[in-house]
Structure formats: structure tokens, C-alpha cells
């Protein structure tokens, strides 16, 4: 059984790292701030960028809101009926 990847038939499946591509692309389309996305993806923050960025400490609640925005975008793209996926439980 083959799988079509980028228009070519293959017998190997894409690696799990491709989920990061999907997450980042969805975040971009959902208009999540690039700084929040870098933190969510655990990417290095610019060392020689704006000095102010070094003082920013993003809260878990703020990141949760960004993540929920991405999840909502993905659910909308999948056309999941409202209420079929339980919202995350907050501590």
C-alpha cells in the first residue's frame, strides 16, 4: 500500500516532525503572534533583536489562549461539529 506525498507515490510515511509544520502553518494562518509561536515551538528567541524582547516573560495562560486559537483554527478546517471535542480543563 502506497501513500501519495507531494504528488509522488511512496511506501514510507512522513515523520512525526511534519506535525510541527502543520502546527506552525496553522498558527500563522490563525494570526498567532510570531513571538508566541516561537515560545510554543521551543525555538530560540532572537539574541540580537529588539532589547525589549529579552524582558518579556509569557504566562502559561497567555500561551494557552494562543494554543486554543490554533486548535480552533484546525477544528474549523476539519469542520468538526461544535461540542464534539471537549475543551481543555484549566487548573
Amino acid at each position: 500500500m502506497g501513500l501519495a506525498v507531494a504528488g509522488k507515490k511512496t511506501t514510507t510515511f512522513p515523520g512525526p516532525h511534519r506535525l510541527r509544520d502543520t502546527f506552525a502553518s496553522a498558527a500563522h494562518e490563525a494570526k498567532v503572534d510570531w513571538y508566541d509561536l516561537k515560545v510554543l515551538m521551543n525555538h530560540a528567541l532572537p539574541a540580537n533583536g529588539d532589547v525589549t524582547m529579552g524582558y518579556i516573560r509569557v504566562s502559561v495562560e497567555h500561551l494557552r489562549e494562543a494554543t486554543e486559537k490554533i486548535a480552533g483554527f484546525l477544528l474549523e478546517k476539519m469542520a468538526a461539529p461544535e461540542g464534539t471535542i471537549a475543551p481543555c480543563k484549566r487548573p
Side-chain angles (χ1 to χ4, degrees):
M1 180 171 148
L3 174 72
V5 177
K8 297 178 182 175
K9 192 169 183 177
T10 180
T11 56
T12 59
F13 291 95
H17 200 73
R18 297 295 56 93
L19 293 173
R20 292 175 65 83
D21 297 343
T22 302
F23 183 82
S25 297
H28 175 73
E29 289 191 40
K31 297 180 178 27
V32 169
D33 182 74
W34 72 270
Y35 188 86
D36 295 341
L37 178 58
K38 287 181 83 60
V39 173
L40 287 169
M41 294 189 70
N42 199 30
H43 284 177
L45 300 173
N48 58 356
D50 184 352
V51 173
T52 307
M53 286 184 209
Y55 293 98
I56 297 173
R57 300 293 178 258
V58 185
S59 71
V60 172
E61 185 60 35
H62 178 81
L63 292 176
R64 180 180 290 127
E65 289 174 16
T67 304
E68 287 177 354
K69 189 174 182 180
I70 298 165
F73 172 83
L74 290 169
L75 289 171
E76 183 181 309
K77 287 292 182 181
M78 294 184 324
E82 188 69 33
T84 58
I85 297 178
C88 69
K89 294 181 181 176
R90 297 179 184 194

